[in-house]
Amino acid sequence: MYSNTHPVNVLKFCPRCGSAHFQATCNRSFKCEDCSFNYYVNSSAAVAVLLFNDKGELLLTRRAVEPHIGKLDLPGGFIDPGETAEQAAIREIQEELGIQVHSLRYFGSFPNEYVYSGFSVYTIDLAFFAQTENLHQMTASDDVSSFEFHKLQDVDPEEMPSISMYNIIKELISREGTY
Ligand SMILES: [Zn+2]
């Protein structure tokens, strides 16, 4: 009923007391029968950043790491605890591309299931438009191997590595001219 990577099939022991009597009460909640510890599977927040060059082409990156190594992606990543989504977007672009962005503007939220080390992490990817004057200074680093610009109509959403990135591209195309 659940995939091998679903938390119900991965989390076998109570993280507090180590008991094996750690039962899923539904698909996103666990309770320890020995110490009453409750654990909930919630969405992890992440950001994706939408940067366009002066020809109106979208910046896409190539993944340097698994999952989906070598595939196209949007720059971004997980939001650290205590960080705002806007701070995370600025930090991720600095880490992956070495430039400063500003004037972040919210586009929408896109759910995803991100399988990492055999575990499904449910995410909510928050997409932001951003501005920069430093596109010509970009250098790929961290979990990005290279970057490229594409006209939206030339991007095949099927090439994107996840359902959230697929839906971001689809929505950018369907709303083109309105944002
Ligand atoms: Zn316990």
Side-chain angles (χ1 to χ4, degrees), residues 14-19 21-22 32-37:
C14 173
R16 182 159 75 179
C17 77
S19 168
H21 301 133
F22 187 59
C32 176
E33 292 177 359
D34 289 331
C35 77
S36 298
F37 180 73

Side-chain angles (χ1 to χ4, degrees), residues 4 6 22 30 34 46 50 52-54 56 66 76 92 97-98 121 127 129 133 140-141 166 168 178:
N4 288 340
H6 190 282
F22 187 59
F30 293 78
D34 289 331
L50 308 170
F52 291 87
N53 66 13
D54 53 12
E66 295 291 358
E92 287 285 346
L97 298 164
V121 177
F129 296 107
E133 289 73 46
S141 58
Y166 173 92
I168 289 171
T178 68

Side-chain angles (χ1 to χ4, degrees), residues 9 35 42-43 60 62 75 89 113 117 131 136-137 152 173:
N9 287 323
C35 77
N42 297 312
S43 289
L60 295 171
R62 291 272 173 196
E113 180 182 351
S117 63
Q131 303 287 328
H136 57 286
Q137 295 172 354
L152 274 179
I173 291 171

Side-chain angles (χ1 to χ4, degrees), residues 3-64:
S3 69
N4 288 340
T5 59
H6 190 282
V8 166
N9 287 323
V10 177
L11 303 179
K12 305 289 191 192
F13 299 96
C14 173
R16 182 159 75 179
C17 77
S19 168
H21 301 133
F22 187 59
Q23 303 292 336
T25 55
C26 68
N27 66 345
R28 55 191 183 86
S29 142
F30 293 78
K31 183 160 190 187
C32 176
E33 292 177 359
D34 289 331
C35 77
S36 298
F37 180 73
N38 279 292
Y39 178 74
Y40 294 94
V41 176
N42 297 312
S43 289
S44 294
V47 290
V49 181
L50 308 170
L51 278 167
F52 291 87
N53 66 13
D54 53 12
K55 296 180 203 158
E57 298 165 331
L58 177 66
L59 173 71
L60 295 171
T61 55
R62 291 272 173 196
R63 295 180 62 83

